[in-house]
Amino acid sequence: MRIPVVSLFSGSGGLDLGFERAGFEILAAYDVFAPAVETYNFNRSQKVAQVADILYLSGRDVAQDIAAQHGAKIPIGVIGGPPCQAFSRSNVYPREDDLRRTLPGHFARLLRELSEHFDIAFFVFENVQGLTFERHRQEFARFRFLFEEAGFKLFEKLLNAKDYEVPQDRPRVFIVGMNNKLQTLASETFSFPRPIRREITVRQAFQAAFGASNEQWPDPAFFQRGISENEIPFHPNHWTLMPKSEKFRNGLLREGEIKGRSFRVLAWDKPSWTVAYGNREVHVHPTGKRRLSIFEAMALQGFPKQYVLRGTLSAQVKLISDAVPPPLAYHLATSIRIWLERNGIYNVQHIGEGSIHA
C-alpha cells in the first residue's frame, strides 16, 4: 500500500517521480501550465494531473477530484514547489506586484484547507535559495508563519542536488512540516537525508543517458519551424536551438569557461551549473559547438531516459528548468517515509517504481 499525497505546482513531475519511487501515490496533481500537465499524464498510467490555477483552487475542489477518481482514498501529505523566479538571485529587477510572490501563501492556504478535509500528516515545500536571502526575509518569515498557523511544525534545510546523485550544483530550500495534531510527530525531530557525496559529472551523466561512450553519441536535431518528432534522433527531447552565434564557430567557447550570462560552457568532468535557463541561456555543450539538447538537460536533472517532456521547445526549456531533480526528491521522500513508518502513521508494504511508463 502506497502513501497517498496531493501534488501542487506539479510541473513536469520531477518531485512527484522521486516520491513515487519511494512508495508514495499521487492522488491528484495540479499545475497552471498546460504542457506540464500534458507531460505529467503522458508519462504515467494514472492520469491524475489537471490544469488549474492554484490561486483559485480550494480544498473542497481537491476533495471532490479525489473522491471522483479514487473513491474513499484520502491523502495524508501535500507536496509542491511554487514557481520561484520572483525570489531567484538572477531576478535582478524584482517587482512587488509579481503574482508569483503570492504563490507560497496560496500553498499555505490550500494546505490549511486540505487539513480541514483530511488528516494531512505532512507537507513538503521546495523553493530557490534566494527566498532565504535578506531582501526576502520578511516574506519568507510570513510564509513560515502561515505554515505554522496551518498547524504544522516546521523543519528547514538547504539541500544541494549534487549531494544526492544528481550531476548538477543546484541548492534549494526545503521545508518539511508535520501536523501538530499528531503528537508523536510533533515531539519528533525530522532528519533530512544525509549527503551521499558521490559526485557525478556531466560526462558520466551523458554516458548513462545515451548508454554509450562519447564517441558514439548522436548529434541532436536543431529546431526549425515544422520539425516533426520523427526527425529528432535517439529521444523525442534530443533537440536544441540552432547555433547561430559566431562564438560557436570561432573557438571562443572553451570547456568550463563563462563568456557572459548566455554562454556558460560546461566542463566534462564536473557537475553542471544549475539547470535554470532563461531565454536563450541554455548552457553550452562542453565541445563549445552548440547548446545542450533538452534530453541532455534532462540527464543533468536526473530524469530517467524513458521520460518524455511534451510541448514546444521553449515550453520544454521551462519544464526542465523548473523541475525538482527526481533523485533528490527520492532521497527526501525516503526520509519522510521512514519517519512516518517509525511513528506508526503509515506503513508501506511495497516499494517500486510507481506507474511510470518504461
Side-chain angles (χ1 to χ4, degrees):
M1 183 177 295
R2 294 177 167 272
I3 303 173
V5 299
V6 170
S7 173
L8 306 178
F9 309 100
S10 54
S12 58
L15 179 65
D16 300 32
L17 179 57
F19 270 76
E20 288 167 317
R21 286 185 57 205
F24 292 76
E25 176 186 7
I26 313 299
L27 298 185
Y30 302 92
D31 199 281
V32 73
F33 191 44
V37 171
E38 181 186 357
T39 294
Y40 194 104
N41 288 333
F42 182 83
N43 288 279
R44 290 166 173 81
S45 57
Q46 297 295 318
K47 315 301 183 184
V48 300
Q50 58 181 290
V51 177
D53 191 334
I54 305 299
L55 272 65
Y56 307 106
L57 190 68
S58 70
R60 182 180 296 274
D61 294 331
V62 176
Q64 290 175 346
D65 290 340
I66 292 174
Q69 289 200 52
H70 304 284
K73 279 188 178 180
I74 61 172
I76 70 163
V78 177
I79 63 175
C84 54
Q85 292 87 347
F87 304 109
S88 172
R89 71 173 69 192
S90 63
N91 183 15
V92 293
Y93 301 109
R95 292 172 46 188
E96 292 298 324
D97 61 348
D98 190 335
L99 279 177
R100 294 172 298 186
R101 304 177 78 95
T102 70
L103 295 178
H106 283 283
F107 182 104
R109 171 191 59 79
L110 200 47
L111 174 66
R112 184 184 69 250
E113 293 176 6
L114 288 171
S115 292
E116 294 171 357
H117 282 277
F118 308 109
D119 290 327
I120 299 297
F122 76 94
F123 77 86
V124 174
F125 171 89
E126 177 267 353
N127 219 277
V128 292
Q129 183 182 9
L131 182 58
T132 66
F133 291 171
E134 178 62 27
R135 62 175 173 167
H136 301 304
R137 179 176 58 84
Q138 291 184 334
E139 286 176 291
F140 189 43
R142 183 172 66 85
F143 298 147
R144 289 177 55 88
F145 171 77
L146 292 174
F147 291 145
E148 292 174 336
E149 194 177 48
F152 291 82
K153 180 179 180 180
L154 307 184
F155 303 90
E156 174 194 334
K157 193 172 181 65
L158 190 71
L159 302 180
N160 196 320
K162 70 178 182 179
D163 294 330
Y164 299 95
E165 302 181 300
V166 179
Q168 178 192 169
D169 185 0
R170 187 187 187 93
R172 291 292 187 267
V173 62
F174 285 84
I175 296 177
V176 174
M178 289 295 171
N179 199 319
N180 286 320
K181 292 181 181 178
L182 304 173
Q183 293 187 3
T184 55
L185 293 181
S187 62
E188 286 277 347
T189 298
F190 173 70
S191 296
F192 283 89
R194 293 181 179 179
I196 294 175
R197 304 293 189 193
R198 184 174 69 85
E199 188 171 272
I200 301 176
T201 66
V202 170
R203 187 192 306 276
Q204 292 169 330
F206 289 177
Q207 287 174 340
F210 287 104
S213 65
N214 56 330
E215 291 83 7
Q216 298 171 300
W217 295 342
D219 291 328
F222 293 120
F223 173 79
Q224 57 183 333
R225 191 174 299 278
I227 188 173
S228 70
E229 193 171 290
N230 293 332
E231 297 175 85
I232 301 175
F234 188 77
H235 186 279
N237 297 123
H238 193 36
W239 63 335
T240 187
L241 291 168
M242 183 73 71
K244 295 181 179 180
S245 172
E246 183 63 27
K247 294 184 177 69
F248 292 113
R249 294 181 289 276
N250 62 14
L252 180 67
L253 301 178
R254 298 176 182 176
E255 180 187 347
E257 295 185 357
I258 300 174
K259 301 297 182 181
R261 181 170 172 175
S262 295
F263 296 95
R264 298 166 67 93
V265 188
L266 297 184
W268 280 120
D269 296 315
K270 293 182 180 180
S272 170
W273 291 296
T274 300
V275 174
Y277 308 135
N279 184 36
R280 299 187 180 276
E281 292 175 359
V282 176
H283 292 147
V284 177
H285 190 276
T287 61
K289 302 297 184 182
R290 60 172 175 83
R291 298 189 187 277
L292 296 177
S293 73
I294 299 297
F295 177 67
E296 289 164 341
M298 292 170 66
L300 299 179
Q301 280 278 48
F303 275 87
K305 57 185 177 182
Q306 70 269 24
Y307 212 83
V308 177
L309 302 185
R310 305 293 289 174
T312 64
L313 181 63
S314 60
Q316 291 176 19
V317 170
K318 173 177 170 55
L319 290 174
I320 197 59
S321 298
D322 292 346
V324 176
L328 168 57
Y330 167 75
H331 287 290
L332 177 60
T334 298
S335 293
I336 293 172
R337 174 179 57 79
I338 292 172
W339 195 31
L340 293 172
E341 291 177 338
R342 188 176 69 228
N343 286 278
I345 302 303
Y346 216 91
N347 291 314
V348 178
Q349 297 173 349
H350 173 71
I351 305 297
E353 293 298 321
S355 56
I356 305 302
H357 291 320

